[in-house]
């Protein structure tokens, strides 16, 4: 690329070319789309900035302008996506110094987000309403996600071969490209490749349900799948059961929440959900963890008050 660009060329053009050379074909499409979204923001914020004019001050101003529209974590992601390209520009001699050094990340105050999930009674009430027949249906899909906590794309990608009924487990090793043209894709991260234990009732139900189906074909996908379709079906059952309306992803949160309230360790929940680290689990379910800690404090105080 060093022969193609000069310091007088636009940074936008350099970044677009850098994505094409270093990222296309090397990362998942969903991640690639994020890089191109960053490129579009460069077009909006610094359309005329030349490579040679990229200094610590101009780069910090770019981050500040971006941060006016985004939360701090999103600005951090924006910074990381730009930094790789800029460091390569330094290596290629297009920039004398690294303008990203000591960059300060700002951002809008995060909006308080309350994760939607059900309690155990509400989930039982919902599952009791599901019309489960002898044929594969979205009702069975909803039941499976509720009992495993799989991501939507992970559950779509399940084939009969992924079920190990003798060991009461299901293997997660791929996802389904429901946002694109269909087909199998890699998991979100390496930690997402895992075996998830299932209860004996699910074993009995699914061993009968998928009997005779093609071993390597997805169980639930017959044509183009839309997340909204399954969410609409789930919403209808939620209303029928008179429980909070949640999404399929909300079922995953419900699954994790029930495990945490049952006393399952954060490490075990993280592994079961396929999180890359316990930090992700802790951040996602902070309000539940805090609630559990308060409950633990009450238990400790009651225990201590009984001592004489």
């Amino acid at each position: 690329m060093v022969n193609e660009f000069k310091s007088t060329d636009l940074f936008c053009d350099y970044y677009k070319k850098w994505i094409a050379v270093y990222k296309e074909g090397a990362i998942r499409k969903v991640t690639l789309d994020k890089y191109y979204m960053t490129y579009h923001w460069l077009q909006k914020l610094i359309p005329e900035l030349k490579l040679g004019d990229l200094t610590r001050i101009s780069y910090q101003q770019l981050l500040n302008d971006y941060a006016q529209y985004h939360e701090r974590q999103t600005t951090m992601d924006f910074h990381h996506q730009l930094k790789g390209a800029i460091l390569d520009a330094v290596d290629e001699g297009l920039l004398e110094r690294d303008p990203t050094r000591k960059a300060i990340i700002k951002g809008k105050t995060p909006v308080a987000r309350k994760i939607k999930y059900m309690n155990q009674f509400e989930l039982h009430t919902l599952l009791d309403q599901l019309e489960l027949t002898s044929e594969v249906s979205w009702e069975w899909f909803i039941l499976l996600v509720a009992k495993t906590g799989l991501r939507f794309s992970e559950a779509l990608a399940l084939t009969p071969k992924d079920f190990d009924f003798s060991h009461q487990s299901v293997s997660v090793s791929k996802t389904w490209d429901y946002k694109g043209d269909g087909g199998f894709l890699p998991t979100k991260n390496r930690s997402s490749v895992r075996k998830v234990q299932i209860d004996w009732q699910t074993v009995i139900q699914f061993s009968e349900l998928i009997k005779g189906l093609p071993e390597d074909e997805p169980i639930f996908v017959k044509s183009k799948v839309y997340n909204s379709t399954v969410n609409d079906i789930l919403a209808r059952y939620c209303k029928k059961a008179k429980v909070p309306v949640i999404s399929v992803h909300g079922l995953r949160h419900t699954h994790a929440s029930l495990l945490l309230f049952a006393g399952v360790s954060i490490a075990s929940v993280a592994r079961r959900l396929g999180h890359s680290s316990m930090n992700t689990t802790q951040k996602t379910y902070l309000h539940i963890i805090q609630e559990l800690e308060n409950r633990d404090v009450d238990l400790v105080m009651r225990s201590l008050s009984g001592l004489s």
Side-chain angles (χ1 to χ4, degrees):
M1 283 177 66
V2 68
N3 297 324
E4 295 181 33
F5 283 93
K6 306 184 292 294
S7 60
T8 53
D9 289 328
L10 295 177
F11 177 61
C12 285
D13 294 341
Y14 173 83
Y15 187 69
K16 185 178 182 182
K17 179 67 175 177
W18 181 85
I19 296 172
V21 171
Y22 291 105
K23 296 301 176 182
E24 286 191 5
I27 56 179
R28 286 159 38 112
K29 184 181 181 300
V30 64
T31 309
L32 183 65
D33 289 344
K34 291 176 183 176
Y35 276 91
Y36 275 113
M37 182 60 71
T38 294
Y39 164 68
H40 291 310
W41 272 99
L42 292 182
Q43 287 183 304
K44 179 179 178 179
L45 297 174
I46 52 165
E48 303 299 327
L49 186 70
K50 295 181 175 63
L51 259 173
D53 295 333
L54 198 58
T55 62
R56 281 188 63 198
I57 290 177
S58 61
Y59 183 73
Q60 184 65 57
Q61 187 59 56
L62 167 64
L63 291 183
N64 292 350
D65 292 343
Y66 183 84
Q68 289 182 33
Y69 303 93
H70 301 87
E71 294 178 8
R72 188 178 183 280
Q73 183 56 55
T74 310
T75 307
M76 178 70 79
D77 295 339
F78 179 76
H79 165 60
H80 284 153
Q81 287 175 357
L82 289 173
K83 189 170 183 175
I86 291 171
L87 291 179
D88 282 342
V90 174
D91 289 344
E92 291 167 352
L94 296 169
L95 287 168
E96 288 186 15
R97 298 182 183 85
D98 172 18
T100 69
R101 192 173 66 87
K102 293 185 179 179
I104 297 169
I105 309 301
K106 305 173 186 176
K108 294 198 304 181
T109 304
V111 178
R113 295 184 183 94
K114 180 127 182 174
I115 292 174
K116 286 193 173 182
Y117 67 96
M118 294 178 181
N119 61 37
Q120 192 164 354
F121 173 76
E122 291 166 340
L123 181 61
H124 277 302
T125 306
L126 169 68
L127 298 184
D128 283 343
Q129 291 289 336
L130 295 179
E131 296 167 13
L132 301 170
T133 66
S134 59
E135 300 293 321
V136 173
S137 64
W138 291 120
E139 283 81 359
W140 284 109
F141 183 88
I142 288 167
L143 177 69
L144 187 65
V145 172
K147 289 204 167 189
T148 60
L150 297 188
R151 297 179 178 95
F152 183 70
S153 59
E154 293 173 341
L156 286 179
L158 290 178
T159 66
K161 200 173 181 180
D162 294 321
F163 284 83
D164 183 350
F165 295 120
S166 59
H167 292 95
Q168 291 188 219
S169 69
V170 59
S171 294
V172 179
S173 59
K174 55 197 176 304
T175 61
W176 186 259
D177 183 21
Y178 70 94
K179 292 181 179 177
D181 298 324
F184 294 115
L185 290 173
T187 54
K188 186 175 183 180
N189 50 58
R190 257 185 266 175
S191 304
S192 296
V193 177
R194 63 201 188 278
K195 288 186 185 296
V196 178
Q197 294 300 123
I198 52 179
D199 63 278
W200 64 268
Q201 189 178 23
T202 304
V203 166
I204 293 170
Q205 290 171 320
F206 272 81
S207 60
E208 191 61 35
L209 183 70
I210 67 177
K211 190 185 292 180
L213 294 181
E215 283 284 286
D216 295 312
E217 292 183 17
I219 296 165
F220 297 102
V221 180
K222 307 304 175 196
S223 58
K224 176 69 177 174
V225 178
Y226 296 95
N227 187 279
S228 58
T229 302
V230 189
N231 281 334
D232 287 345
I233 294 170
L234 175 56
R236 191 170 70 239
Y237 277 108
C238 288
K239 290 170 185 173
K240 186 179 175 183
K242 294 183 173 59
V243 297
V245 174
I246 62 172
S247 63
V248 172
H249 197 66
L251 285 176
R252 175 172 160 87
H253 288 315
T254 298
H255 181 82
S257 302
L258 294 182
L259 293 180
L260 290 168
F261 278 121
V264 178
S265 71
I266 295 173
S268 295
V269 173
R271 280 195 299 272
R272 190 169 173 88
L273 295 180
H275 283 164
S276 54
S277 74
M278 281 193 293
N279 288 339
T280 305
T281 316
Q282 287 173 320
K283 279 194 291 186
T284 307
Y285 300 101
L286 180 62
H287 64 292
I288 295 171
I289 292 166
Q290 287 173 337
E291 197 173 328
L292 289 170
E293 285 175 348
N294 291 338
R295 193 167 72 181
D296 287 344
V297 169
D298 290 341
L299 284 171
V300 169
M301 290 302 103
R302 281 204 296 274
S303 298
L304 291 176
S305 64
L307 298 176
S308 56

